């Protein structure tokens, strides 16, 4: 029964390993056929070549760049690149100001943006919001005018923001279920979550006006016709009057934030002029926008149809503790189709965020004063309304994200904003630094090492050495498929240092086989039958193999995190192959020896099996069996023993 159970266990392990190999092969083939993958490992900069980028600081006016800023930018760019995989990019400075980035392959536009964008995320209160939709309506005089000038105080007339019917949702566990739309029919997501707030019901209300003291009746679910709301009033005011009205509105908002009146008037007059001159539909409209954290700013939304006047920065991106991306969970916890970037704030940012959401929550219905703009690199990516007081410092940004763009944004925010902006000065292709010749030499060295291991195994262990050869083949197949899949999944690239790690792994794997086989041979020398010797030898060898692999893996782990980028590829492949070695020994080598021990060739100790008791010098003396019995000396090649009683006390 025990023999049958052992055989079944060994067979299950081998089947599971075959399924794993076939699964990795299918995954690699599927990525190559339907994705951006390939059937060979991706090569690094030293073996394949790549692209050299020279980034030049973008300075405004008399702004200067210092060495500390450049070094900080180098560290952040390196973190952003390494977050996409072990590509071992080379990053250096040039002339004390420029940054030279050499990366394998040809980077996409998204990758370039991820490298050079400052990614300065800032939170500002919304003072004025003006939607310039791509459609037009006609006023009573017959002149076409843009529809939907939603909330600028210059209109002086009641306006409304279209709001979907609200539902009562517990804000403590899920984002608000209501979603608002702007006059441009773009979704304004309710992007903030609350930690502990009672369920609330948000009603659709119009924005207050410059002349109305109280809100009017609930707004309809669609934007009000522009011909009857904003167009006549817009023509009734001269540009100077519009600018004065805007300045007065902004100044009042600044005073409410604690800014003294004289300073507020000066800042408001400047930003009102900028707002009226800003045309968000024109390319490069934001190039002249100055993002001063202490001043209000006029800017545009990322769709190019909405422009804003925003207050000073109240929370900076440096207050973010962590950022992740994914699909937003629904009320039942299941993921929805909405892509979000989840943020968690540090302690100081958490307190500021709670204070801001408390103020905005108290102004519900006073659109746009109840909105909070999330500004990324001078563009408003979303302007949600605060539907609860958020005290736990966790927020969710949603908008026109894809899963890839959300991931890129989360990585940029997580690793911090560049201290200065950079423009791409030059982009050149670079040839492999080592080339195919060095790769061939490295592979030749690996092949020679592998051949020597095979020769030694066959000489030392005879037919049992074939198990070593088969195990190395299985380990090689697993390593090749894993490296290929990781190249597509996390951007891992195989460099010459990584190839060195793979070559070293041959010796590590051979060590595991030697430890196991020698344990089994020791048990045979002690006179045990081969089947018992295999099980006893495995129990003793397993602890040694696991301990040795654990030491190798810890060394690789420390080396990966503490060494320079040129050594990380070696550490990564060494750690990877150590895990594969452990997997192969447990799921292939031991089960294979278990099955071979039950064959006539190995079980009877054939002289070419490598387990011949006579050649190994097995003991011939009786072995104590317990209960007063000793085993008779086992003849050469026998797999069982007989017992005979021995006179005397037990």
């Amino acid at each position: 029964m025990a023999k049958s159970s052992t055989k079944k266990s060994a067979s299950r392990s081998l089947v599971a390993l075959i399924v794993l190999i076939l699964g990795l092969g299918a995954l690699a083939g599927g990525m190559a056929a339907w994705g951006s993958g390939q059937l060979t490992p991706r090569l690094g900069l030293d073996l394949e070549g790549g692209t050299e980028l020279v980034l030049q600081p973008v300075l405004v006016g008399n702004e200067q760049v210092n060495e500390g800023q450049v070094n900080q930018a180098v560290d952040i760019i390196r973190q952003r690149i390494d977050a996409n995989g072990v590509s071992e990019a080379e990053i250096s400075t040039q002339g004390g100001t420029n940054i030279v980035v050499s990366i394998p392959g040809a980077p996409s536009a998204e990758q370039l943006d991820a490298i050079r964008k400052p990614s300065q995320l800032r939170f500002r209160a919304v003072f004025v919001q003006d939607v310039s939709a791509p459609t037009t309506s006609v006023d009573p005089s017959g002149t076409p005018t843009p529809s939907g000038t939603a909330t600028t105080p210059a209109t002086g007339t009641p306006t409304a923001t279209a709001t979907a019917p609200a539902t009562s949702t517990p804000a403590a566990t899920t984002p608000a279920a209501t979603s608002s739309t702007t006059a441009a029919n773009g979704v304004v997501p309710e992007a903030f979550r609350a930690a502990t707030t009672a369920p609330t019901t948000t009603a659709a209300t119009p924005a207050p006006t410059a002349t109305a003291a109280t809100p009017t009746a609930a707004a309809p679910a669609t934007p009000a016709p522009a011909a009857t709301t904003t167009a006549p009033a817009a023509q009734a005011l001269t540009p100077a009057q519009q600018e004065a009205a805007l300045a007065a509105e902004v100044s009042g908002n600044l005073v409410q934030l604690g800014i003294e009146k004289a300073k507020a008037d000066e800042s408001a007059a400047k930003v009102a002029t900028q707002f009226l001159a800003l045309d968000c539909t024109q390319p490069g409209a934001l190039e002249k926008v100055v993002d001063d954290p202490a001043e209000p700013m006029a800017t545009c939304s990322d769709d190019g149809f909405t422009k804003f006047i925003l207050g000073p920065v109240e929370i900076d991106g440096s207050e973010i503790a962590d950022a992740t991306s994914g699909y937003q969970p629904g009320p039942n916890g299941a993921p929805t189709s909405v892509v979000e970037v989840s943020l968690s704030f540090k302690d100081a940012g958490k307190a500021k965020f709670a204070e801001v959401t408390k103020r905005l929550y108290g102004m519900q219905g006073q659109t746009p004063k109840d909105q909070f703009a999330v500004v990324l690199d001078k563009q408003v990516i979303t302007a949600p309304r605060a539907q609860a007081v958020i005290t736990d410092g966790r927020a969710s940004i949603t908008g026109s994200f894809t899963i890839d763009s959300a991931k890129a944004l989360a990585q940029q925010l997580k690793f911090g904003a560049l201290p200065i902006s950079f423009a791409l000065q030059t982009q050149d292709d670079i040839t492999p630094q080592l080339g195919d010749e060095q790769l061939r030499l490295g592979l030749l060295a690996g092949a020679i090492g592998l051949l020597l291991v095979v020769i030694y195994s066959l000489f030392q262990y005879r037919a049992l050495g074939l198990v070593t050869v088969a195990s190395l083949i299985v380990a090689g197949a697993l390593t090749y498929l894993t490296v290929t899949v990781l190249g597509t999944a996390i951007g891992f690239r195989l460099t010459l240092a990584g190839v060195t790690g793979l070559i070293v792994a041959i010796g590590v794997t051979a060590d595991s086989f030697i430890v196991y086989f020698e344990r089994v041979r020791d048990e045979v020398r002690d006179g045990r039958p081969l089947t018992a010797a295999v099980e006893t030898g495995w129990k003793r060898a397993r602890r040694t193999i696991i301990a040795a692999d654990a030491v190798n893996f810890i060394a690789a782990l420390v080396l990966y995190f503490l060494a320079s980028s040129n050594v990380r590829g070696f550490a990564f492949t060494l750690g990877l192959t150590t895990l594969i070695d452990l997997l192969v020994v447990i799921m292939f080598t031991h089960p294979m020896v278990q099955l071979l021990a039950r064959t006539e060739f190995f079980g009877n100790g054939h002289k070419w099996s490598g387990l011949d008791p006579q050649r190994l010098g097995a003991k011939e003396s009786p072995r104590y069996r317990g209960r007063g019995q000793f085993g008779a000396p086992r003849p050469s090649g026998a797999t069982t023993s007989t017992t005979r009683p021995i006179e005397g006390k037990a």
Side-chain angles (χ1 to χ4, degrees), residues 343-365:
L343 306 177
S344 60
F345 290 93
K346 300 175 184 176
D347 290 340
K350 187 185 300 184
K352 294 177 184 177
F353 198 60
E355 181 180 347
V356 170
T357 54
K358 180 179 179 180
R359 186 186 78 238
L360 297 178
Y361 184 61
M363 294 190 293
Q364 278 192 318

Side-chain angles (χ1 to χ4, degrees), residues 73-233:
V74 168
D75 291 338
I76 293 173
I77 291 174
R78 178 175 288 111
Q79 288 175 329
R80 291 180 181 179
I81 294 175
D82 289 344
N84 292 319
V86 190
S87 60
E88 296 194 22
E90 295 183 0
I91 306 173
S92 59
T93 60
Q94 183 185 77
T97 56
N98 293 349
I99 295 178
V100 181
V101 181
S102 300
I103 56 179
S108 63
E110 292 77 11
Q111 289 173 324
L112 288 177
D113 286 341
I115 292 173
R116 63 186 176 90
K117 268 194 172 183
S119 294
Q120 294 173 335
L121 186 74
R122 290 168 172 170
F123 297 82
R124 296 173 178 261
V126 178
F127 291 167
V128 174
Q129 177 179 342
D130 184 8
V131 180
S132 300
T135 58
T136 58
S137 58
V138 180
D139 67 11
S141 66
T143 305
T145 59
S147 64
T149 309
T151 59
T152 55
T155 59
T157 57
T159 59
T161 301
T163 308
T167 57
S168 178
T169 5
T173 57
T174 60
T178 60
S179 56
S180 307
T181 58
T182 66
N185 295 323
V187 174
V188 181
E190 310 300 348
F192 299 110
R193 299 180 183 176
T196 52
T197 307
T200 58
T201 303
T202 305
T205 57
T209 66
T211 57
T214 58
T216 58
T222 57
T228 60
T229 56
T230 63

